[in-house]
Amino acid sequence: MLPVTQEDGQLDSLVRKRIRALRVAQGWSLEELATRANLSQSSLSRIENGRRRLALDQLVTLARALDTTLDQLVENAADDVVISPMIDGTHGLMRWPIKSEPGMSVMRQRMTDPPPDNPARMRAHPGREWLVVLSGTAVLMLGHRRFRIETHQAAEFPTMLPHAIGAEGEPCEILGIFDRDARRGHQKDTGADGPEADRGGT
């Protein structure tokens, strides 16, 4: 009946704090969430304050009312909070997987060359990419358009458009977030020739 027991005291406390934090983040009073979850205000107050045991049916209803899932509500993600990067020294890349979204990854890259002038050397593959320039100035070639992205500016684009990115003048560093398809396309680009061979396939 209960998803947590007395032996799971820490998780029990975490779930209660999570319910309250999600309610407050929505700007809802106890009464508002209780109404949405078909509970009495006093029952919800006792749940948040630890004076009422956590019942599975109530947690399911609360998760739905808070626009989340039961799994997310009772998740214990205390382990593996810090993620070390995977380093590719040859291409100057650092990559971090996103634990909650296995198809996503974050990559940091230092660029020294401008993007290719030849459109035939631009890449296109399924997916979307988001990037922010950490230092320097980057140039994004997207189809027939040229975008200048300065430090702390970001860009987001569908990678089905032919694209390439490089540095303008001095070296630049970018941090990119790739969805599953864009990451797969990028991994293909880092094959025998590699994106560094023709500069800028992202």
Side-chain angles (χ1 to χ4, degrees):
M1 177 78 180
L2 299 178
V4 292
T5 65
Q6 291 181 346
E7 289 74 27
D8 300 315
Q10 288 184 334
L11 179 57
D12 182 282
S13 176
L14 175 63
V15 171
R16 296 177 192 276
K17 290 177 181 177
R18 189 172 282 154
I19 291 170
R20 183 180 188 281
L22 289 170
R23 173 178 65 78
V24 171
Q26 294 280 11
W28 295 340
S29 65
L30 278 167
E31 182 181 5
E32 287 175 296
L33 178 55
T35 299
R36 292 170 182 269
N38 245 351
L39 293 171
S40 69
Q41 184 175 335
S42 61
S43 294
L44 178 58
S45 177
R46 290 197 298 273
I47 287 172
E48 287 190 4
N49 294 327
R51 297 196 300 270
R52 178 169 181 158
R53 301 186 73 181
L54 296 173
L56 179 59
D57 58 341
Q58 291 175 336
L59 287 180
V60 170
T61 302
L62 281 167
R64 188 178 299 116
L66 290 164
D67 195 26
T68 187
T69 65
L70 179 63
D71 287 345
Q72 290 175 323
L73 195 59
V74 303
E75 178 185 18
N76 186 4
D79 298 330
D80 301 325
V81 170
V82 178
I83 301 172
S84 298
M86 295 173 282
I87 300 174
D88 180 350
T90 303
H91 297 131
L93 303 177
M94 298 177 72
R95 185 178 292 112
W96 297 262
I98 298 178
K99 182 180 176 184
S100 62
E101 297 287 345
M104 304 283 287
S105 64
V106 178
M107 185 184 73
R108 180 177 179 179
Q109 183 174 9
R110 185 174 188 271
M111 297 183 166
T112 57
D113 298 327
D117 293 328
N118 185 354
R121 295 167 65 187
M122 296 168 66
R123 308 287 183 174
H125 48 79
R128 289 191 71 85
E129 181 178 341
W130 181 95
L131 63 89
V132 62
V133 177
L134 301 176
S135 65
T137 300
V139 174
L140 171 65
M141 305 299 296
L142 197 59
H144 298 294
R145 305 176 69 188
R146 181 183 188 274
F147 297 91
R148 189 173 184 269
I149 313 170
E150 298 182 355
T151 302
H152 300 152
Q153 289 186 326
E156 181 180 0
F157 57 94
T159 52
M160 280 297 286
L161 285 172
H163 60 278
I165 188 167
E168 181 181 79
E170 299 296 320
C172 69
E173 280 195 328
I174 65 169
L175 191 71
I177 301 177
F178 304 84
D179 69 7
R180 183 187 302 273
D181 291 329
R183 181 172 63 92
R184 187 178 296 121
H186 180 79
Q187 287 173 335
K188 289 178 181 177
D189 287 345
T190 56
D193 296 331
E196 313 309 319
D198 56 14
R199 182 61 272 148
T202 61

